[in-house]
Amino acid sequence: VKSGTTTSANDASEVDTNATNDGLGRTSTSILQPSLNVGLIGDVANGKSTLIRSMTGKRTQAHSSEQREHGKTIRLGFANCAIVHCQDHVNCDVYSFLPEDEDLPRRPPPPCCRCGGAMEFSRRISFIDCPGHAELMSTMLGGASAFDAVLFAAAANLRCPTTQAKQHLDALSFSGILPRKGNVAIVQTKAELLFKPDETTKLSAAERLERHATEARKALRCTVAAGAPFFPTCAPLKLGLEPLARWLAHIPTQDKTVAVVGSNGLNVLRSFDVNHPGKSYDEVVGGVIGGTISGAGTFKTGDLLEIRPGLVVSTASTRKKKKENEEPFVVRSLECRCKGIMSGKMDLQQATSGGLIAIRTTLCPSLCAANRLVGSVVGPRGTLPPVWGPCLFLDRMSFVSIISLDHTERLDPSKSLKEGAKVRCHSGSASVLGHVVRVSRSRGKLEVHLHAPLCAHQGANAAIEAAVGEKTGAFHLVAHARVFGGTCCLEGSKIAQEEHHPVPKYTGEEKENDEKDRSDSDSDDDYDYDYGYDDTFKEEEGDEERRVWFLEELAEQKEEDHGLSSRVSVPVPDVEREGRSHVRVKNFSVIAEAFRRDPNHLLTFLAREGGLSCARAGEKGSSLRVRWRGGSFEARLSKILRRYAIAFITCRECKSARTELLRASGGHKTELLCRQCNARRFVPCLSQI
């Protein structure tokens, strides 16, 4: 690409370093960088991670030890992919996802899956997978600061929205993270479970999907998802993804320069150490920080960067007795050089606002290990916001409606913000614990004593979590506010906040008024919980077409699987003796074909798990030669084959044999996918002999 601009649906794959600026501060060298951050939100076990894997080919929990132990998303997950478009716009016009492993620079995408014609790159996007557990709400709030668009995963066989999913939408509704309406889509995951007609209601699959969408649309009419399109999908079988790829390809690229002019900070979502034990000292590299850039600016290799808050030293640990007016911690910013920039597996010379990137620095790896810098802000010296603490003032506070878990009553979140109550303050990707010093509910102001410093612009949005309910005492999102001021540990850039965040000073008169309002902090005031969105609901144009498209794809898939048996019958081994020390299984290839498995995989199992010394023989390896003395070999082999069928063929949920083996991301694990019930489970990864 010799020249051109970055548009919503046309991000080319190859670049020319001599191209010009496109008006948004982006040059064509950033086309390899994703241009859109898409967040996945929703309740637990609604198929968020499975949906991302079907689009990107990557497990978002690949770097999380918690996932390997518990099988659930605990930390933020990240994955990149490209959207490709068939060049035959008249007869085909297909959009599809290109996994990250197949998206190689300066290499054309594979041919179209429908017409076989050439494909062209439409855009590259980054996905952020948020956990759905209520106790991990703070993790979701940290990742939401990077969202440009949102996919709301709602299982088609469950009520939408659930209590926890409603909290995710509340967080987006109040925070103003999404700058324009129309960047939210609702993905009806697990839609294949509604394929069979309901015997109770006598509704067809299309009618059941339509009823689920209608009820969800009515319940979401006063949220950020009001009027959002619905996309029925079956992620394990990769059905229903083409309309979703088309929608993502046409989302306009966000102009983040409007939000904070003069600031090009990177909100750190992840930091880690890439050095492995046993590396030579001359091969050790600095720590890596990952996140997304906000504002107008460019990060280049070799730039001098500043990190805030940086090093935080607690003064309480150095002295037993505190001095009068002594601060609880001391803050010192860090400085480093940018040694390299990557987006997924692509090396970049520079990066701008857009998708997720990773920056290799000259910092000591121990400072970045185990996400120690998550919540920090990175940028050129003199452009970063101030650091607040321990005193933080918040104003323009608005409360979030909280429904009890049994859906019988609405809780008053304002009662949880009392003097001395523990809270969590979220701004950007930072999450800081603290306690309430004083609160004025009538004026919408709050003073918090922070236990750690917070780096945020004056006037930035902040989310507040507090313990709600006497029984559980768990943290819930209770309010949203704006950073008003406080104790400033480090002065920040005044360019952006003077032009776009004109916040008045906290005068003595306002302090006196707040003191008068402290007596009213326990009063039961009535609050308006209106979200400010249109309360009308109607079917989005194209929803019916997408339902018909999905059901036709699913019906074709069912027809292809119709000939596959749902049971496994172990063929009788045809064994003949070869000399005194060997036997030959003449129908080995027939056995492997009956199992619908690779003969080499079956051979590896017989050698590793069955303890047989064997090798393939005959024409094209159709038979198996085994070293065996004595008799009863047929019974021993049949027993081993039954063990293989139980471990690598039969689904434990529906007992079906319509399964296939899939290699997990990274090659460390193998999954067994059931084509009948779409259940997944890990199986041992057998390295072939």
Side-chain angles (χ1 to χ4, degrees), residues 152-288:
F152 175 47
N157 60 335
L158 298 176
R159 180 183 58 85
C160 175
T162 61
T163 303
Q164 184 57 29
K166 186 67 162 52
Q167 281 232 326
H168 284 194
L169 294 174
D170 289 344
L172 299 178
S173 300
F174 274 95
S175 61
I177 296 171
L178 299 178
R180 62 165 62 92
K181 191 176 180 180
N183 283 13
V184 180
I186 302 172
V187 182
Q188 292 176 292
T189 57
K190 306 181 182 180
E192 73 279 2
L193 300 180
L194 305 183
F195 183 72
K196 295 182 179 180
D198 192 351
E199 298 180 357
T200 305
T201 60
K202 306 299 181 180
L203 296 177
S204 64
E207 292 172 338
R208 295 174 70 185
L209 280 173
E210 183 180 1
R211 183 180 64 175
H212 179 268
T214 302
E215 294 176 353
R217 191 177 294 108
K218 183 177 180 180
L220 299 172
R221 64 185 184 275
C222 291
T223 67
V224 72
F230 283 75
F231 296 88
T233 61
C234 174
L237 301 181
K238 298 184 178 181
L239 302 179
L241 299 183
E242 198 275 339
L244 188 59
R246 183 185 299 271
W247 181 80
L248 289 172
H250 289 86
I251 294 180
T253 302
Q254 303 293 342
D255 187 1
K256 298 183 179 180
T257 62
V258 177
V260 186
V261 175
S263 170
N264 54 340
L266 179 139
N267 293 315
V268 179
L269 299 174
R270 189 168 175 237
S271 67
F272 49 93
D273 176 17
V274 296
N275 300 292
H276 300 288
K279 253 191 175 182
S280 175
Y281 74 93
D282 55 345
E283 298 177 351
V284 174
V285 296
V288 179

Side-chain angles (χ1 to χ4, degrees), residues 159 163 402-411 471:
R159 180 183 58 85
T163 303
I402 301 177
I403 307 297
S404 60
L405 295 178
D406 55 1
H407 306 282
T408 58
E409 60 178 341
R410 187 176 71 178
L411 304 177
K471 296 182 180 179

Side-chain angles (χ1 to χ4, degrees), residues 18 23 48 51 103 139 173 266 315 361 441 456 463 487 501-502 511 518 522 532 558 601 633 644:
N18 297 322
K48 300 184 296 297
L51 178 63
D103 183 15
T139 306
S173 300
L266 179 139
T315 58
T361 68
R441 294 185 296 178
T487 306
H501 298 294
K511 292 182 180 180
R518 291 183 65 182
D522 295 330
K558 294 291 184 181
H601 188 269
F633 174 76
Y644 179 82

